[in-house]
């Protein structure tokens, strides 16, 4: 396991990134798969990590950052170890998604998508349609879809994740490192807008 | 087994979902058993000339299921098979249109059907390599498609000599990273090339200059999944189903306020009453359908009085809407149209890539206007603003369809539910829903 405080990529990840361009008809296509590897290692994309990706792919760091900021699955700020991506688009909203979001917020003790729970475990985000509307309300959590959500189902998912971590003794380690409160600086909106 | 909500079980009039529910249909041995999988690929490679395949698809009358409904065979024939150098097939598995889940349903239940369709298409248009652009959130469909491709590779169907034919075929996967605009075909190509996904202006069309600057056939998951059936049974058999101009069946993902939401295979020309009230069970006891989006959130809304509209593309065009992505969102009489429109405008504003001014500015402007109306701060000015923004977004003022779609949400909800807008904007009341704490952001 990597330490969560690490800000730069490890040698084996950089090696893996350097092998990516050869897999595509043109090397530039490797930028997102490379950012995936970086984010997988660090949890989110730090400026240092993006520069290292750029150097490994022989691209301009500004270019790599421009790509990273365009796509919502790249995180430029720390996120909880388990992030609730709750769909609140229309089909889910018609079946109670907004109440699910309210419940998630209360249960993990954060009010906004740029905050992380005090134990560092959880964060949430309202997302657009995830393509599983027949199971509304639904969400993505830990690379899986969860369907027909209820408050009880959310509570169980949270308890399971807290429990698992207890057994690994990671909660204590996390708690020792966690900053005072859950609230982080709000960050500027980071998507889209015309290239000036 | 994936969760199944929708058409499955042996129904002879179903083309795509007939074998869904068969245990382990996602495995190659099961798919090649009773469902007869990979017979179409074998036939295409060994018994048919590429032009014959394309002609069969033309004869079927199949139209793209990604949204625009373009004639599939005609699109295939735009690619100059004999041009030197690489050509590509790019599969649009970015499925992000609100209310649409049919590609996921196909990928999770029968990934080999798509793999087979891709390989046939590649051979027909002279491509040796196909790229599937799959939305990043689809972890399970990605895993299943990856396994299917590897199984097909192990069998040699993907490889240098499929069925002994000297025609190398390969399929690669590329994951998206969360941006609705990547579903638009030229934005998808930009993204595949490692760039910010901003649509390109056309011409050149992808058939001439597509992925990595090369001739490219771009089709939706459902479109290509239909191809094996057409090759097995003939284009004429497909054309017999559905209506004259919209032949065949299509998957409709029905969601929202219905008792049995699910992905249903529907012969085109059936009515929405059949789809919503029968297949999907209609709204909960004691409630009525108020409005539905017949083809994803981008298709202009139709009120309950138009439930007898037919599902074919011509009937929908006559009703001033469209078949779009096949996603049918049903809203009942307990929900407020102004709030629903506001939610969708938030979506379009958030997903605008920012390249064209009306879309970049108009979306945010509409959202703010809706917010004022929902906060009971509206007046005639706000109603006029909505109409003006909507006009500015439509009619080709934007580079891609996202701008139009945003405009249509405003325009069609205003057209069919003006009274409700007036209640909100001028009378500062909602007759439908209890007030909520601030429009949730
Ligand atoms: C904003 C926008 C989003 C789109 N999203 C999708 C999508 O998620 N999946 C898809 O197949 N087509 C989508 N399309 C349509 C594609 O641009 C394209 O027409 C289609 O993939 C072509 O395949 P087909 O001919 O098989 O339908 C979208 C179009 C627009 C304008
Ligand atoms: S219409 Fe909107 S999403 Fe489409 S290219 Fe223009 S700004 Fe981008
Ligand atoms: S609207 Fe929530 S999954 Fe489609």
């Amino acid at each position: 396991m990597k330490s969560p405080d690490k800000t730069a990529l490890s040698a084996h990840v950089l090696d893996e990134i350097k092998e990516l361009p050869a897999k595509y008809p043109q090397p530039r296509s490797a930028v997102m798969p490379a950012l995936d590897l970086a984010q997988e290692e660090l949890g989110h994309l730090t400026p240092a990590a993006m520069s290292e990706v750029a150097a490994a792919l022989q691209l301009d760091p500004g270019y790599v950052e421009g790509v990273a900021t365009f796509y919502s699955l790249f995180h430029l700020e720390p996120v909880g170890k388990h992030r609730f991506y709750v769909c609140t688009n229309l089909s889910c909203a018609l079946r109670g998604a907004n109440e699910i979001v309210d419940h998630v917020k209360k249960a993990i003790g954060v009010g906004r998508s740029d905050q992380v729970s005090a134990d560092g475990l959880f964060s949430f985000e309202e997302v657009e349609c995830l393509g599983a509307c027949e199971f509304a309300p639904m969400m993505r959590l830990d690379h899986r879809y969860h369907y027909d959500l209820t408050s009880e189902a959310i509570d169980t998912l949270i308890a399971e994740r807290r429990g698992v971590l207890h057994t690994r003794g990671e909660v204590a380690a996390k708690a020792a490192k966690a900053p005072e409160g859950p609230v982080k600086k709000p960050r500027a909106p980071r998507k889209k807008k015309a290239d000036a | 087994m994936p969760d199944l909500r929708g058409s499955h079980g042996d129904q002879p009039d179903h083309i795509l979902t007939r074998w869904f529910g068969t245990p382990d249909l996602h495995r190659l041995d099961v798919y090649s058993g009773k469902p007869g999988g990979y017979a179409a690929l074998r036939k295409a490679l060994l018994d048919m000339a590429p032009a014959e395949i394309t002609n069969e698809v033309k004869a079927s009358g199949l139209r793209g299921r990604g949204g625009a409904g373009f004639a599939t065979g005609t699109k295939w024939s735009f690619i100059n098979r004999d041009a030197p150098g690489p050509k590509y097939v790019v599969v649009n598995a970015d499925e992000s249109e609100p209310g649409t889940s049919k590609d996921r349903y196909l990928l999770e239940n029968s990934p080999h059907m798509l793999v087979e369709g891709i390989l046939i298409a590649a051979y027909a248009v002279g491509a040796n390599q196909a790229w599937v652009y799959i939305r990043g959130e689809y972890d399970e469909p990605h895993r299943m498609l990856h396994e299917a491709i590897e199984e097909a590779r192990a069998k040699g169907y993907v490889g240098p000599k499929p069925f002994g034919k000297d025609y190398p075929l390969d399929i690669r996967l590329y994951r998206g990273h969360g941006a609705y605009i990547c579903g638009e075909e030229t934005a998808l190509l930009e993204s595949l090339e490692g760039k910010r996904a901003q649509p390109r202006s056309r011409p050149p069309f992808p058939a001439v200059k597509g992925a990595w600057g090369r001739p490219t056939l771009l089709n939706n998951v459902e479109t290509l999944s239909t191809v094996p059936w057409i090759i097995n049974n003939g284009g004429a058999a497909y054309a017999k189903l559905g209506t004259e101009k919209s032949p065949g069946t299509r998957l409709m993902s029905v969601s929202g306020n219905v008792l049995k939401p699910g992905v249903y295979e529907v012969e085109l020309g059936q009515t929405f009453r059949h789809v919503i009230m029968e297949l999907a069970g209609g709204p909960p006891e004691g409630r009525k359908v108020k409005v539905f989006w017949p083809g994803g959130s981008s298709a202009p809304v139709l009120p309950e009085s138009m439930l007898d509209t037919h599902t074919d593309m011509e009937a929908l065009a006559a009703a001033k809407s469209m078949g779009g992505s096949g996603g049918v969102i049903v809203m009942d009489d307990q929900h407020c149209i102004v709030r629903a429109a506001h939610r969708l405008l938030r979506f379009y504003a958030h997903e605008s890539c920012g390249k064209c001014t009306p879309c970049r500015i108009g979306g945010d402007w509409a959202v703010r206007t809706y917010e004022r109306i929902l906060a009971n701060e509206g007046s005639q000015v706000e109603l006029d603003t909505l109409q003006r923004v909507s006009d500015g977004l439509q009619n080709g003022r934007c580079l891609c369809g996202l701008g139009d779609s945003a405009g249509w949400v405003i325009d069609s909800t205003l057209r069919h539910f003006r009274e409700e807008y007036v209640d909100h904007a001028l009378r500062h009341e909602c007759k439908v829903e209890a007030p909520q704490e601030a429009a949730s952001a």
Side-chain angles (χ1 to χ4, degrees), chain B residues 146-162:
Chain B
H146 174 75
E147 281 173 15
I149 294 167
E150 291 317 307
E151 276 190 306
R153 204 185 297 283
K155 273 272 182 193
Y157 304 160
V158 171
K161 278 194 167 193

Side-chain angles (χ1 to χ4, degrees), chain B residues 181 184 197-199 351-357 359-360 398-404:
Chain B
I181 192 61
E184 195 281 335
Q198 293 187 313
E351 298 299 330
S352 166
C353 82
K355 197 162 172 169
C356 340
T357 312
C359 177
R360 185 178 67 245
C398 295
L399 189 57
C400 87
L402 191 148
D404 288 286

Side-chain angles (χ1 to χ4, degrees), chain A residues 23 29 31-32 36 63 66 71-73 88 91 95 128-131 134-135 140 143 148 191-194, chain B residues 5 101 104 135 138-139 172 174 177-178 191-192 194-196 212 255-256 258 343 349-350 352 354 364:
Chain A
K23 298 185 177 168
S29 295
V31 63
M32 281 189 270
D36 273 340
Y63 179 83
Y71 296 94
S72 66
L73 288 180
T88 58
S91 303
R95 299 178 78 99
E128 302 297 359
C129 178
L130 287 172
E134 72 270 39
F135 299 103
R140 179 175 184 246
H143 297 281
D148 302 324
K191 225 181 104 70
K192 65 170 184 181
K193 300 309 161 195
Chain B
R5 260 181 218 171
S101 55
R104 197 203 84 255
R135 71 176 295 180
Y138 275 1
D139 302 288
R172 308 282 184 89
Y174 196 87
H177 287 84
S191 184
L192 185 58
K195 301 174 191 157
R196 293 162 70 93
W212 301 289
S255 64
V258 286
R343 177 64 188 88
H350 179 254
S352 166
D364 285 336

